[in-house]
Amino acid sequence: MRDTDTADLVDSLASSLTPVRPIWAPGRRMAFWSLAQLVFAVALVGGSTRPDLAPRLHSTAYLLELALLACATLLLARSALAAAIPGAERWRIAGLAFLAGTTALALSGAAGFDTTQAIDSFARIGVPCAVHTILLSLLPAAWLMVAAYRGAPLHPARAGMVAGAAGFLLGFTMMRLMCPVDEGLHMMVWHALPVALGTTVSAGAGALALGAWRHR
Amino acid sequence: MEDAAPSKEQDPSGWRAAAMRLAQEGDSGAYRELLDDSSSLLRRYLAKHIRGKDDLEDVLQEVLLSVHRGRHSYDPGRPFEPWLFAIARNVKADYLRRTISRQTWEVLVDEQPEQAAQPESSARLLSEALDSLPESQREAFRHLKIEGRSVEEAAALVGTTEGNLRVRAHRAYKALRAFLAR
C-alpha cells in the first residue's frame, strides 16, 4: 500500500536531497572531548593546585570522591554525546552517573558544617569559588551542548541536562583540586550549588535549543 | 546502488545501512528506495499503536520528515533500524501525548463553538492560520493552492527547486492542519 500523500512526500524528500556529513561516532567525539578537557584542566589547574594537595591525596575519602567525580563526569559526557544519535541513548548509564555525582557532591561536604563563621567572611571566601566553578564549567558544558546540537537529540531537555551536569561536574572537580577549603557549608553553597544550578539551566537551554534539528 | 552493496532480499539490514550511507552522500535514488522500504516497515509498526488511517499516515509522514532532517545523525557504523525506530517511537509518543491531551480537552469542553461554522469566522481562522506560517511556507501554499500555479511555475517564481517547494508546501499543509485542529 502506498498512500498518495506519503508517496508525494517521499518524492519531494528524495528530489530535494543534499549530501550531509555524518556526525562522528560518540566514541570518537568522546576521545576528542576528553583529550581537550585534559589539556584545559592541566593548563588551568596545573599551576594553582591547593597547597595541601599532596597530603590530601593520602586521604581515602578524598581519593574516593575524586574517583567518583571522574567516573560520573566521563559517563555523563559519553551519555550527552550518545544522546545526539537516535537509538544510541544511554539514559540508564546517565542515571547511574547522576547517582555517583550526587554521592561525590555529598562526600565533599562530609567534613562537617562550621556554623560559627561570620556571613561576610563566608561570602568573601565563597563567591570567588562559585564564580570559578561556573567559569571552569562553561567550556566543557558548552562543548557538549554544541555536540548534542549538531546531532538529532530526541529528548532535548534530558540531553541538555546531561551535557550540563558533565560540564559542571568537571568544573567542580577542577575546583576540588584548587580550593583549599573543605568545610561542608562552603562546599555545598559555593561549589555544589553552582553545579545544581548549571545543570538546571542546561536542561532549560537544551529544551529550547536542542530540538531545533526538527525544524531545519 | 553500487554492485558491492548488500542485496535487499538476502541482507535487508545491510542493504538499508548501505542505502542510508549513499543517501548521506546525496544519492537520491538510493534514498527514495530506502524511504519507500522504511515506509512499509513503519506502517506495520505504527498500525499496532495508531487506529485511524489518516492519523497513521500523518505520523508516518512526520517520521519521514524527522528522518530527513536528522539524516546527518545516522552513524554509518551502526545498523539503520534502531536509529529509524528510535525516531518513530519518539514521533509516535508525541502523537499519543497530543491525542490524549486533545481528547481530555474535548471531554472538558463539551459545547460546540457555534461561531466556527460561520463563513466569516472560517475565513478569519484560515487567515490566522496562514499568518502563523513561516514566510517560505505561506508563499508555497499561496502559489500552489490559492493562486493555482503549477509546481514548476511556482518554484521559478520563488527561486527554488521544485522538490524544495513541494517540501515547503507539505510542511504548510501539516502546520495548517494542526492549527485548524486546535
Side-chain angles (χ1 to χ4, degrees), chain B:
Chain B
M1 303 256 315
E2 290 168 355
D3 291 342
S7 105
K8 188 174 174 179
E9 287 71 31
Q10 289 175 350
D11 179 9
S13 268
W15 174 81
R16 287 183 196 116
M20 189 61 192
R21 271 195 297 276
L22 290 172
Q24 286 179 324
E25 289 164 14
D27 183 333
S28 58
Y31 191 45
R32 190 186 308 266
E33 226 180 315
L34 177 68
L35 289 182
D36 272 337
D37 174 77
S38 301
S39 298
S40 313
L41 280 181
L42 291 167
R43 235 183 232 112
R44 280 201 296 276
Y45 166 71
L46 293 171
K48 290 177 194 159
H49 307 276
I50 297 167
R51 286 192 196 142
K53 185 178 173 296
D54 286 348
D55 281 359
L56 190 146
E57 288 300 322
D58 274 355
V59 176
L60 171 60
Q61 289 170 20
E62 199 57 49
V63 176
L64 294 176
L65 277 171
S66 293
V67 163
H68 183 74
R69 290 169 190 158
R71 64 192 187 281
H72 62 288
S73 71
Y74 170 67
D75 175 0
R78 298 168 66 95
F80 174 73
E81 291 84 353
W83 180 84
L84 175 72
F85 281 103
I87 293 175
R89 267 195 305 278
N90 187 261
V91 174
K92 179 203 75 187
D94 280 350
Y95 161 81
L96 293 176
R97 249 194 312 273
R98 279 199 311 268
T99 306
I100 289 168
S101 98
R102 196 172 60 217
Q103 283 169 350
T104 309
W105 179 247
E106 281 167 3
V107 169
L108 288 172
V109 185
D110 55 356
E111 282 179 31
Q112 291 296 315
E114 289 167 19
Q115 287 185 341
Q118 293 171 3
E120 66 272 24
S121 174
S122 303
R124 199 189 63 228
L125 197 62
L126 181 62
S127 159
E128 277 175 28
L130 283 171
D131 286 346
S132 72
L133 294 176
E135 177 63 31
S136 61
Q137 292 178 18
R138 188 167 52 243
E139 204 175 22
F141 184 85
R142 184 167 55 80
H143 282 307
L144 294 181
K145 293 293 166 188
I146 299 177
E147 294 171 4
R149 296 184 204 279
S150 68
V151 176
E152 190 183 4
E153 192 184 359
L157 275 172
V158 174
T160 186
T161 63
E162 291 177 29
N164 254 332
L165 190 86
R166 279 202 202 95
V167 172
R168 284 180 197 175
H170 183 83
R171 286 175 187 167
Y173 307 148
K174 304 244 352 159
L176 286 175
R177 203 182 296 172
F179 187 95
L180 295 171
R182 280 199 321 218

Side-chain angles (χ1 to χ4, degrees), chain A residues 4 6 19 26 37 49 64 79 82 102 105 118 134 137 141 147 173-174 184 190 192:
Chain A
T4 321
T6 307
Q37 301 316 315
T49 52
L64 179 65
S79 302
T102 310
L105 293 184
I134 293 169
S137 306
T173 310
M174 288 194 265
W190 305 114

Side-chain angles (χ1 to χ4, degrees), chain A residues 59-109:
Chain A
S59 154
T60 310
Y62 186 71
L63 283 178
L64 179 65
E65 186 196 323
L66 287 181
L68 273 176
L69 283 169
C71 285
T73 303
L74 290 174
L75 289 176
L76 284 167
R78 182 70 169 79
S79 302
L81 295 170
I85 297 180
E89 300 91 343
R90 299 176 160 204
W91 301 124
R92 280 188 194 162
I93 290 178
L96 285 175
F98 260 107
L99 199 64
T102 310
T103 308
L105 293 184
L107 272 177
S108 72

